[in-house]
């Protein structure tokens, strides 16, 4: 008797395909169909279903459907153990019925359940088994002509492939994941074209849930490829679509699950980009909306990091332990392992090594059972850290070696870097054979730095620089200092500074997961239209991208010793080779005048390298402890007029002009002395004084790190001796015999990063003035109001402008000086038109601000631009700021040779993780010299009866029109310093003139376009 699905109408018209003879199932409900057609049953065999009555068959079939529903419910509740039991029963029934479609449905669902539980080995085995059986079943379907069954097993193939998509994404196999997604979409389109007559509704994706899940998978692939910015955009769009889909009753439960998936991914991206507050907001929402479910437990583990960083370690430990218990109750072994690992990292961070090891061992047991090779590498590196913390070096090295070997075998370059870093850290801590450690550390540091440039999004680049490259660089520089290798250390600093220093450690850094940001695998692309294509990005949608530094040369007589280490890094970590073009790291010196080159790099501590153009091959390197830099910044932040968070501009100016800051000579002198003692090494101070004593004022050229971007270098005092103990504030004066400042003995200018591409400047012509533009929607007294205040024909600045007009034409054309101030037409269109003509200099006086966050080309000039003009910045009411990215992407092809950007912290580029602001944008567009300020500039309204702002503008314009602007501006600042010493009144305070600096690239000899 033949029961089950209707048998085929005609016997097979072809021999049994070879792939069916060894098969345990033929993809048809009853292999006794051979007897039905009076065929030889030997090749087909018979199964228990052949002896079932129709009643027995129907009863088992109904039980199978009921068991499947129960299994799905348990899986949705993340009750993995219960789901396993139900699916095992479903498979038993499927075998009794010889129903391949039921067996495949059970196994494909099991693949998904195993993956969700972190059992990657069984997840892959189940998914691959489904695809293999599908091929056999398809052959059987064709052989028997039972094509209806093809539609019944199609859904199982889709589920299995989605598990394989996830596994490929986690393994970094982006190409395979994308190919599988594309195949799913092709088949979905085919089914929709075939229509409901051919396929059941659940395979037609009527409401779009399947497509939404594929979009979430695509986001994960984008993250694996390093396109975090693109993934962010996609997730925002997905969440909007899911909000609308949640109104459909039939798919509401699935939509809620997809919303949780999307929000978890967005939290991960935000955290990787340093947007910790937004990431916490996503996790808090997940925790609240899914309270009592595993989704909430996993969110709570992420939130525990914030609690730990806030100092609530007991609360963080309790939160992770509670979340782990919930995950264990649900049978989610992979999530339990991650929770144990996170708990171990927290305990290790607090110094409880013994309990940390217990947690890591627990995670190791689970990951071994689950076949999670990557997780096991993380456990081995964590156990290596535990052993090293206890001085058990042999055990630590055994764990580290095992992790390194596993990483090399896997081909996962990120794991390779991570495991090598742990091994290098252990080697440095052990202190034996430091030369062997150097062979590991230096190529590792170069590779970590270079991989940064593979990221598409600036958020990902910054997170990588902060969490991976900077610690690795710090380890290398510390080791080179211990080995007394100043030349290699200096070269490493100069290569770091070629595109800008990394972010300093601003606060505690705690990584509970041990995971690293992932990179995109696509090659970098560059647009010839973008002179700043090497520098960064203001948003993910802009085609600006940070590029690695070019090949560098140390001196005319010496190449970079670091090059051979770079080649070794390329062999070890698959880095691209050095560029063919070589860029010099030093500017041309002036005969008879010694030029000092100082470069700072943040890597945990701050590292300084200095040398002179008269002796380029003799180098000095100094580590400056993080605490010293922190103290210097604390004093400077307290005195600077740049507003603190929540502080008004007026309150910031009052604070800055207080007795303890720039309002008194004693307060200002104390600041100058603290900065000098903490930031200027004794050998540099001695050499400066000797050079000045020879009668020709030396030139100090500085490329600061982000942590030191706001330092007024010329104001720093010169110590006469160093203390042998930590000084109280009242003891600082014991190190000084006089009030000699850097300005008294030297001229100072900023040094541009060597790797910035530069265009030739505009042809010589009239000066261009953009003075205090009127900003749409802003009153003269508002936040973006007038910076020059009320001007009239008798004002010093207007008289200066009238004199300029008397000497010759200026741009924009004007009949009198007053016509150049507070214009309403000084927008980006006028700027482009003026700079398309020959011009000698550009003088901008107005508002400069950072319009978004720290990443990329965020600084902006506030011109008279209305909101309807195109640009990368969001409008501020009826006004759109003009960003550095706008400059790069606009039709402004060249800048004049000399530029002044007089506005709040217009020289803040060096304070960015990626030094890309209006200052360096102007250099890249052709400016050889840019005058700017390192902190927010108070307007003249702060000192009624005086006009220090106009004095500064006149001094800058006069210097830019002269032969040697750097020398002239330093001379003007010396005259201001002398007046301050004689009359320490608010109108003479350094707060108005000390932030002025010049970035001088005129003699760098690097006019080149990438």
């Amino acid at each position: 008797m033949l029961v089950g699905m209707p048998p085929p109408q005609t016997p097979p018209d072809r021999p049994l395909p070879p792939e069916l003879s060894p098969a345990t199932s033929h993809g048809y409900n009853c292999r006794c169909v051979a007897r039905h057609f009076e065929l030889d049953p030997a090749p087909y065999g018979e199964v228990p279903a052949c002896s079932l009555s129709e009643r027995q068959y129907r009863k088992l079939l109904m039980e199978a459907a009921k068991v499947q529903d129960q299994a799905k419910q348990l899986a949705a509740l993340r009750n993995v153990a219960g789901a396993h039991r139900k699916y095992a029963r479903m498979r038993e029934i499927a075998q009794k019925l010889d129903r391949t479609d039921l067996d495949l449905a059970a196994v494909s669902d099991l693949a998904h359940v195993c993956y969700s539980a972190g059992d990657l080995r069984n997840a892959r085995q189940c998914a691959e088994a489904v695809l293999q059986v599908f091929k056999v079943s398809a052959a059987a379907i064709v052989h028997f002509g039972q094509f209806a069954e093809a539609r019944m097993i199609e859904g199982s193939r889709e589920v299995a492939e989605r598990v394989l998509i996830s596994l490929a994404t986690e393994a970094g196999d982006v190409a395979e994941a994308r190919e599988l997604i594309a195949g799913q979409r092709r088949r979905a389109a085919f089914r929709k074209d075939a229509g409901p007559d051919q396929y059941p509704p659940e395979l037609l994706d009527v409401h779009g849930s399947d497509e939404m899940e594929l979009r979430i998978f695509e986001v994960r692939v984008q993250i694996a490829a390093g396109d975090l910015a693109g993934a962010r955009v996609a997730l925002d769009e997905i969440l909007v679509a899911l909000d609308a889909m949640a109104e459909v009753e039939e798919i509401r439960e699935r939509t809620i699950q997809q919303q949780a998936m999307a929000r978890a991914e967005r939290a991960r991206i935000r955290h990787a980009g340093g947007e910790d507050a937004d990431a916490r907001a996503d996790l808090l929402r997940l925790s609240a909306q899914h309270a009592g479910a595993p989704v909430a437990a996993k969110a709570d583990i992420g939130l525990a990091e914030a609690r730990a960083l806030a100092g609530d370690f007991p609360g963080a430990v309790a939160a992770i332990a509670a979340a782990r218990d919930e995950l264990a109750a649900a049978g989610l072994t992979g999530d339990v392992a991650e929770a144990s690992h996170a708990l171990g990292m927290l305990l290790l961070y607090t110094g409880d090594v013994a309990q940390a090891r217990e947690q890591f061992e627990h995670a190791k047991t689970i990951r071994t059972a689950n076949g999670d090779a990557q997780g096991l590498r993380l456990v081995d590196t964590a156990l290596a850290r535990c052993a090293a913390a206890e001085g058990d070096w042999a055990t630590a090295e055994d764990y580290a070696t095992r992790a390194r070997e596993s990483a090399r075998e896997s081909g996962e370059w990120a794991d390779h870097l991570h495991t090598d870093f742990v091994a290098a850290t252990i080697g440095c801590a052990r202190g034996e054979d430091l030369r062997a450690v150097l062979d590991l550390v230096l190529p590792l540091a170069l590779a970590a730095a270079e991989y940064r440039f593979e990221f598409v999004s600036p958020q990902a680049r910054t997170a990588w620089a902060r969490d991976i490259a900077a610690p690795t660089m710090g380890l290398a520089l510390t080791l080179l200092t211990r080995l007394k290798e100043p030349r290699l250390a200096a070269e490493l600093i100069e290569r770091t500074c070629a595109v800008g220093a990394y972010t300093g450690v601003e606060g505690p850094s705690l990584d509970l997961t041990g995971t690293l940001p992932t990179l995109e695998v696509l090659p970098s692309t560059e647009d010839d239209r973008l002179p700043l294509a090497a520098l960064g990005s203001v948003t993910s949608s802009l085609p600006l991208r940070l590029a690695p530094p070019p090949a560098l040369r140390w001196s005319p007589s010496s190449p970079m010793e670091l090059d051979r280490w770079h080649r070794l890094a390329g062999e070890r970590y698959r880095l691209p080779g050095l560029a063919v073009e070589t860029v010099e790291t030093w500017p041309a010196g002036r005969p008879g005048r010694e030029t000092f080159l100082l470069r700072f790099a943040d890597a945990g501590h701050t590292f300084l390298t200095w040398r002179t153009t008269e002796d380029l091959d003799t180098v000095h390197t100094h580590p400056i402890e993080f605490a010293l830099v922190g103290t210097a910044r604390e004093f400077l932040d307290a005195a600077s007029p740049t507003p603190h968070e929540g502080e008004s501009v007026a309150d910031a100016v009052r604070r800055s002009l207080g007795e303890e800051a720039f309002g008194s000579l004693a307060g200002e002198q104390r600041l100058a002395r603290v900065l000098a003692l903490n930031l200027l090494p004794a050998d540099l101070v001695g050499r400066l004084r000797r050079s000045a004593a020879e009668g020709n004022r030396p030139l100090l050229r500085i490329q600061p790190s982000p942590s030191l971007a706001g330092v007024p270098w010329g104001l720093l005092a010169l110590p006469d001796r160093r203390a042998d103990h930590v000084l109280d504030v009242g003891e600082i004066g014991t190190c000084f015999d006089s009030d000699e400042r850097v300005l008294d003995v030297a001229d100072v200018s900023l040094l541009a990063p060597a790797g910035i591409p530069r265009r030739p400047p505009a042809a010589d012509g009239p000066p261009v003035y953009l003075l205090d533009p009127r900003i749409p929607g802003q009153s003269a007294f508002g936040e973006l109001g007038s910076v020059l205040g009320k001007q009239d024909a008798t004002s010093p600045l207007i008289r200066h402008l009238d004199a300029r007009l008397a000497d010759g034409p200026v741009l924009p054309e004007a009949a009198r000086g007053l016509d150049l101030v507070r214009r309403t037409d000084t927008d980006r269109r006028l700027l482009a038109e003026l700079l398309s003509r020959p011009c000698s200099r550009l003088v901008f006086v107005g508002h400069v601000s950072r319009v978004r966050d720290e990443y990329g080309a965020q600084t902006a000039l506030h011109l008279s631009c209305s909101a309807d003009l195109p640009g990368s910045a969001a409008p501020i009411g009826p006004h759109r700021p003009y960003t550095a990215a706008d400059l790069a992407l606009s039709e402004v092809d060249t800048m004049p040779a000399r530029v002044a950007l007089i506005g709040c912290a217009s020289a803040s580029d060096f304070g960015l993780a990626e030094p890309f602001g209006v200052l360096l944008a102007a250099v890249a567009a052709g400016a050889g010299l840019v005058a700017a300020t390192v902190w927010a500039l108070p307007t003249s309204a702060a000192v009624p009866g005086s006009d220090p702002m106009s004095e500064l503008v006149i001094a800058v314009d006069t210097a830019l029109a002269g032969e040697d602007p750097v020398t002239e501006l330093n001379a003007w600042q010396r005259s201001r310093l002398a007046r301050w010493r004689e009359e320490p009144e608010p109108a003479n305070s350094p707060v108005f003139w000390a932030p002025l600096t010049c970035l001088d690239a005129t003699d760098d000899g690097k006019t080149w376009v990438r």
Side-chain angles (χ1 to χ4, degrees), residues 532 752-753 756-759 887 895 899 917-930 999-1001 1004:
L532 303 183
I756 293 183
R758 306 172 195 177
R759 292 175 177 245
L887 172 60
M895 280 279 179
V899 172
V918 290
L919 176 74
L920 295 182
V923 172
L929 186 143
V930 184
L999 190 149
D1000 185 6
D1004 286 3

Side-chain angles (χ1 to χ4, degrees), residues 781-836:
F781 306 102
E783 186 176 347
L784 292 177
S786 175
V787 298
L788 291 175
K790 182 69 174 177
Q791 298 288 322
D792 58 39
T794 63
S795 302
L797 177 59
I798 301 305
R799 293 201 304 270
H800 170 78
L801 294 172
D802 286 337
R804 284 281 180 249
L805 284 165
D807 291 339
V810 303
L811 296 173
E813 296 177 1
R816 55 182 187 147
L818 270 174
D819 296 336
L820 294 170
V821 179
R822 297 293 287 165
R823 296 172 65 112
T824 60
D825 63 344
T826 50
D827 59 16
R828 63 195 69 199
R829 295 171 299 187
L830 178 65
L831 176 63
E833 194 274 324
L834 294 177
L835 295 186
S836 67

Side-chain angles (χ1 to χ4, degrees), residues 640-699:
S640 164
T642 299
H644 299 163
E645 185 175 354
E647 185 180 34
S648 69
V649 172
D651 287 343
V653 172
R654 279 192 289 271
R655 171 179 49 76
S656 184
L657 288 173
E659 288 293 313
E660 297 300 311
F662 286 112
S664 71
L665 182 59
E668 180 272 325
Q669 187 183 67
R670 181 171 55 250
L671 170 65
R673 289 178 171 182
V674 169
L675 294 178
L677 286 172
N678 285 16
L679 303 180
L680 297 181
D683 60 349
L684 174 62
V685 173
R687 180 65 176 272
L688 267 177
R689 282 181 161 147
R690 288 195 301 273
S691 181
E694 295 173 0
N696 204 347
R697 186 180 298 278
L699 174 63

Side-chain angles (χ1 to χ4, degrees), residues 189-265:
F190 175 82
R191 289 193 295 269
K192 285 187 176 182
D193 288 342
D197 292 338
Q198 296 294 321
Y199 288 94
E202 59 267 23
L203 288 176
L204 296 179
D205 195 23
V206 177
H207 299 291
S209 290
D210 285 345
E211 171 58 23
M212 201 56 63
E213 194 157 313
L214 287 178
R215 289 181 66 184
I216 295 174
F217 284 140
E218 280 185 319
V219 164
R220 291 173 175 170
V221 173
Q222 283 179 286
I223 295 171
D227 185 10
L228 272 69
R232 269 287 297 274
V233 173
L235 282 171
D236 289 341
E237 294 173 351
I238 288 168
L239 285 168
V240 170
L242 287 172
D243 285 341
M245 293 170 62
E247 301 299 321
V248 181
E249 182 65 32
E250 298 94 314
I251 58 169
R252 180 170 297 162
E253 185 175 337
R254 186 177 181 188
T255 300
I256 291 172
Q257 294 174 356
Q258 291 176 340
Q259 286 174 321
M261 292 167 61
R263 287 201 177 94
E265 294 297 338

